[in-house]
Amino acid sequence: MLLWLVPLLAVLGFAGWLVYRAVRFRPPAGFRQAGPRPVTVPEMPIAVKLGELLQIATVAYRDPALEDAAAFANFQERLQALYPHVAAQCARVLVGDKGIIYRWAGHSDEAPAVLMSHYDVVPAQAEGWTKPPFSGEIAEGYVWGRGALDTKCTLAAAMEAADGLIAQGFVPVNDIYLCFSGDEEIMGPTAEAMLSALQEWGVQPAFVLDEGGGVVPDALPGLTVPCALIGTGEKGLAELTVTATANPGHAAMPPRHTAVGRLAWAVRRLERWPWPLRYTPPVRQLMEDAGRHARLPWRPVYANLGPLRPLISLWAGLRGGEINALLRTTCAFTSLAGSPAVNVLPDRASATASVRILPGENSKSVRRRAERLLKRKDLEIAIRAISEPSPPSLTGDGAWQVLTEAVAQVWPEALIAPYLFPACTDSRHYARVSQHVYRFSALAWTRQERALMHGHDERISLKALARMQAFYEILISKL
Ligand SMILES: [Zn+2]
């Protein structure tokens, strides 16, 4: 008779269980958010040198004819002049035309560290910029120029820290390799060639740091505490091309659907059916560690990632953007080709998407899923793997501890959490030789500041730059 009570009690019981989990999901006992700490590093010396490095237009192009080889050579020589103690103390090896390795000998070669950066930049036209993009001007509290954030800043901070420490007579515990490539933006061969050189010398990196995450105020929706995001893994990259075929002919007598029409169906279908949501280990850890500090109504969501997964998947898929990119493989169609003339029916029309692949999947599984969704005879699917995803690095042992201690000393106000870096960095090559590859740009930045990378008016504040130098000084003293 009271059978209707059973589903009601089940729903109430389930809701109660979710609430119980949410109530228990709190910051650790005794947690007190620390205040920011001032840094004592003087702002101008590093700013002036970075300004000088930004004046050298090391713009990377896929077509070597467009590149200014002299700029790259000039950059390499300026480094020697700007950082004389590094030049005197560290053996420099140039790898190919663009790779620079400084070997800084420590007391031991047991657990060598690799500090990476790249000094090539993406192109910049003066139009749209407040200061010319290669002026390296210091004004209004910033150093301005293409590469200020991506990523001559980390190169200058590592060099400035090393130069100062060498001048004081400091010798690191372990060997440190400063590795700077000059073709990261075009995914060139230099980073891999530098890794091969290290391997030829018998160097097994115990710690690798490259550009990547930073200290952000908005790591997750609902989070009000700044969070230092350290990329422990990175997504893969592939290009997926869908081609629709048809009979060519005159556009005055078209069939019901042309190749372009059928291609539109395919593109729309792949957009409507996003890849399944998956919590990779770094993202799960980020949500579990940082989610405890989120405000309502977000905390209960992070407390119940498993049970709420279908809802989170739907919400993230509709919203898109950064949070969605953390949770699933994404597929962004960016390029189209069809008939060369408006009045000719094309025999082929194709669309290419940039696919960013979660660790745990690969270009083959991406292709298989696209084939399943687009099962039609008149559609061809091709994939070009550019970089498979990097497996997440370890977060429980000494290397992680060294890094997080240095981060905590410079940004005591920030939570520290691993995350998945959504783009490709040179460090992806190192995942096959080390379980300690981390991506962190040692910079506190907002969403607006992050958007300056590759955009107009790229610039870094003098304060942020000094803090970055402080971070490298502390980190190097621990390596
Ligand atoms: Zn970069």
Side-chain angles (χ1 to χ4, degrees):
M1 196 170 71
L2 294 175
L3 267 184
W4 60 272
L5 265 179
V6 175
L8 179 69
L9 285 175
V11 169
L12 285 176
F14 181 65
W17 179 61
L18 295 187
V19 171
Y20 171 73
R21 287 167 58 96
V23 169
R24 286 172 49 108
F25 192 68
R26 304 197 67 84
F31 173 81
R32 255 190 77 242
Q33 194 182 351
R37 181 180 299 163
V39 299
T40 50
V41 171
E43 290 173 1
M44 284 318 281
I46 180 170
V48 169
K49 287 183 214 170
L50 175 62
E52 214 179 295
L53 296 175
L54 293 178
Q55 288 168 18
I56 308 172
T58 44
V59 182
Y61 290 98
R62 277 178 209 276
D63 177 0
L66 296 174
E67 274 190 359
D68 179 3
F72 288 82
N74 182 16
F75 189 95
Q76 294 164 4
E77 291 322 305
R78 281 310 293 157
L79 281 190
Q80 293 283 88
L82 288 173
Y83 305 100
H85 298 103
V86 172
Q89 180 74 24
C90 306
R92 185 184 74 154
V93 177
L94 298 178
V95 178
D97 296 335
K98 293 178 175 169
I100 311 168
I101 301 179
Y102 284 104
R103 179 177 176 269
W104 185 4
H107 291 294
S108 163
D109 58 7
E110 283 286 297
V114 177
L115 302 180
M116 301 173 65
S117 188
H118 67 86
Y119 62 99
D120 59 309
V121 297
V122 294
Q125 309 298 330
E127 206 170 277
W129 284 66
T130 312
K131 320 271 179 207
F134 297 101
S135 67
E137 211 176 308
I138 299 174
E140 298 154 39
Y142 290 88
V143 191
W144 298 68
R146 173 62 82 228
L149 292 170
D150 184 10
T151 185
K152 287 179 178 172
C153 57
T154 54
L155 185 151
M159 287 296 273
E160 190 73 31
D163 207 59
L165 286 167
I166 293 169
Q168 293 164 29
F170 172 84
V171 177
V173 177
N174 288 289
D175 291 352
I176 294 177
Y177 292 84
L178 300 162
C179 293
F180 308 136
S181 82
D183 52 13
E184 191 267 359
E185 297 290 359
I186 52 170
M187 300 189 82
T190 299
E192 199 169 10
M194 286 198 285
L195 174 57
S196 300
L198 292 178
Q199 286 189 293
E200 266 169 41
W201 307 334
V203 177
Q204 271 304 324
F207 178 94
V208 180
L209 181 69
D210 196 4
E211 63 173 328
V215 182
V216 299
D218 50 1
L220 290 174
L223 200 66
T224 47
V225 186
C227 197
L229 296 176
I230 297 172
T232 53
E234 70 181 49
K235 291 178 94 173
L237 172 61
E239 289 174 4
L240 177 76
T241 300
V242 181
T243 304
T245 54
N247 292 324
H250 199 292
M253 291 148 296
R256 179 152 182 250
H257 292 294
T258 66
V260 171
R262 283 203 297 278
L263 182 67
W265 173 84
V267 169
R268 180 114 176 85
R269 191 163 161 79
L270 283 177
E271 285 196 345
R272 271 181 78 153
W273 295 99
W275 260 253
L277 173 143
R278 229 160 28 76
Y279 303 120
T280 52
V283 173
R284 184 174 273 278
Q285 201 178 335
L286 164 67
M287 291 185 153
E288 284 184 356
D289 292 355
R292 291 171 190 277
H293 301 264
R295 63 168 188 267
L296 291 171
W298 288 99
R299 189 143 34 94
V301 175
Y302 299 122
N304 292 292
L305 290 176
L308 297 182
R309 188 186 146 123
L311 284 179
I312 296 171
S313 174
L314 183 69
W315 170 80
L318 290 173
R319 182 179 155 129
E322 279 182 344
I323 187 80
N324 190 47
L326 283 181
L327 293 169
R328 56 166 45 99
T329 292
T330 58
C331 175
F333 279 96
T334 50
S335 232
L336 290 168
S339 174
V342 179
N343 59 356
V344 175
L345 295 173
D347 59 346
R348 298 170 74 75
S350 64
T352 301
S354 177
V355 184
R356 307 296 171 134
I357 311 168
L358 273 193
E361 296 164 28
N362 56 44
S363 55
K364 287 196 182 80
S365 66
V366 165
R367 185 200 167 114
R368 278 199 302 274
R369 184 168 185 275
E371 282 171 344
R372 264 203 316 279
L373 280 170
L374 307 177
K375 233 181 190 164
R376 275 171 57 154
K377 274 203 205 86
D378 52 2
L379 291 175
E380 292 167 9
I381 290 161
I383 196 148
R384 188 165 85 88
I386 294 168
S387 159
E388 297 293 352
S390 299
S393 293
L394 301 178
T395 56
D397 61 354
W400 174 256
Q401 201 176 336
V402 161
L403 177 58
T404 53
E405 278 174 11
V407 173
Q409 281 187 37
V410 184
W411 293 277
E413 73 279 18
L415 302 170
I416 301 173
Y419 95 125
L420 185 64
F421 193 61
C424 291
T425 68
D426 272 344
S427 68
R428 67 187 181 281
H429 301 293
Y430 285 76
R432 64 183 158 86
V433 298
S434 177
Q435 289 183 295
H436 302 105
V437 182
Y438 304 109
R439 300 152 187 91
F440 180 67
S441 284
L443 186 65
W445 47 10
T446 61
R447 194 180 298 264
Q448 290 80 0
E449 286 169 318
R450 297 202 288 282
L452 296 175
M453 282 203 292
H454 294 205
H456 293 152
D457 282 345
E458 185 175 344
R459 61 193 184 276
I460 185 169
S461 79
L462 300 184
K463 286 196 166 36
L465 193 58
R467 203 164 273 268
M468 193 181 272
Q469 181 187 335
F471 166 78
Y472 274 96
E473 285 172 1
I474 293 168
L475 177 70
I476 287 171
S477 70
K478 291 173 186 287
L479 288 175

